[in-house]
């Protein structure tokens, strides 16, 4: 009977710890001749997932190595960034082609003696 009571007490203790949560804090410092060489700050929180969420702790849901949803979000973000880069590259190539075509056609008889019409205004982007 003593074994049953111990396991019941251990189960109660574990349930209470997970329900309420427990924080363990510790610092490790390594000094040599009063010169601090290393400091390690340890913070350990033991709680149930539900209790951690109540406290606003949900980092595991956003970590791609722990959550397939976070991993998919990361893949989608990379895909969107690639799409944006391809679109910007396409616009820049079109703009470059238009500038090259305008410079090959030569001066348009303007009084500024050059390709001012082919140059976009500084700070303004041409739209195709």
């Amino acid at each position: 009977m003593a074994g049953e009571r111990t396991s019941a007490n251990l189960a109660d203790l574990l349930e209470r710890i997970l329900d309420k949560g427990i924080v363990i804090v510790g610092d490790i410092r390594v000094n040599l001749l009063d010169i601090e060489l290393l400091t390690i700050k340890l913070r350990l929180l033991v709680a149930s997932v539900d209790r951690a969420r109540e406290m606003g702790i949900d980092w595991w849901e956003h970590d791609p190595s722990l959550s397939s949803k976070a991993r998919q979000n990361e893949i989608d973000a990379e895909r969107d960034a690639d799409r944006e880069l391809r679109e910007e590259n396409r616009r820049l190539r079109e703009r470059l082609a238009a500038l090259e075509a305008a410079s090959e056609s030569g001066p348009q008889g303007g009084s500024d003696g050059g390709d001012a019409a082919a140059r976009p205004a500084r700070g303004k982007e041409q739209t195709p």
Side-chain angles (χ1 to χ4, degrees):
M1 286 200 187
E4 290 178 16
R5 186 171 181 211
T6 304
S7 64
N9 287 339
L10 184 60
D12 290 341
L13 179 65
L14 185 58
E15 181 180 344
R16 186 173 299 154
I17 287 173
L18 292 176
D19 184 46
K20 301 289 185 186
I22 186 171
V23 177
I24 301 170
V25 178
D27 294 338
I28 299 171
R29 291 191 180 141
V30 177
N31 294 337
L32 180 64
L33 300 175
D34 291 332
I35 298 172
E36 190 172 315
L37 298 176
L38 176 68
T39 298
I40 300 173
K41 296 186 176 210
L42 302 171
R43 307 296 183 258
L44 175 66
L45 170 68
V46 179
S48 68
V49 171
D50 294 333
R51 182 68 179 154
R53 282 190 182 128
E54 288 174 13
M55 292 186 288
I57 302 170
D58 61 353
W59 54 265
W60 61 88
E61 293 178 353
H62 307 289
D63 188 338
S65 62
L66 298 174
S67 167
S68 60
K69 187 177 190 182
R71 192 173 315 118
Q72 186 60 44
N73 289 344
E74 187 176 73
I75 291 169
D76 292 344
E78 288 175 2
R79 189 177 303 131
D80 291 344
D82 287 346
R83 189 178 306 123
E84 289 174 11
L85 285 174
R86 282 194 302 272
E87 178 61 25
E88 181 182 14
N89 193 6
R90 184 193 61 77
R91 285 193 314 265
L92 289 171
R93 287 180 186 274
E94 288 174 357
R95 189 172 168 193
L96 179 61
L99 289 170
E100 287 175 343
S103 70
E104 288 174 0
S105 65
Q108 299 295 326
S111 61
D112 62 356
D115 58 349
R119 283 191 310 248
R122 178 169 249 143
K124 295 182 180 178
E125 184 178 1
Q126 281 185 333
T127 54

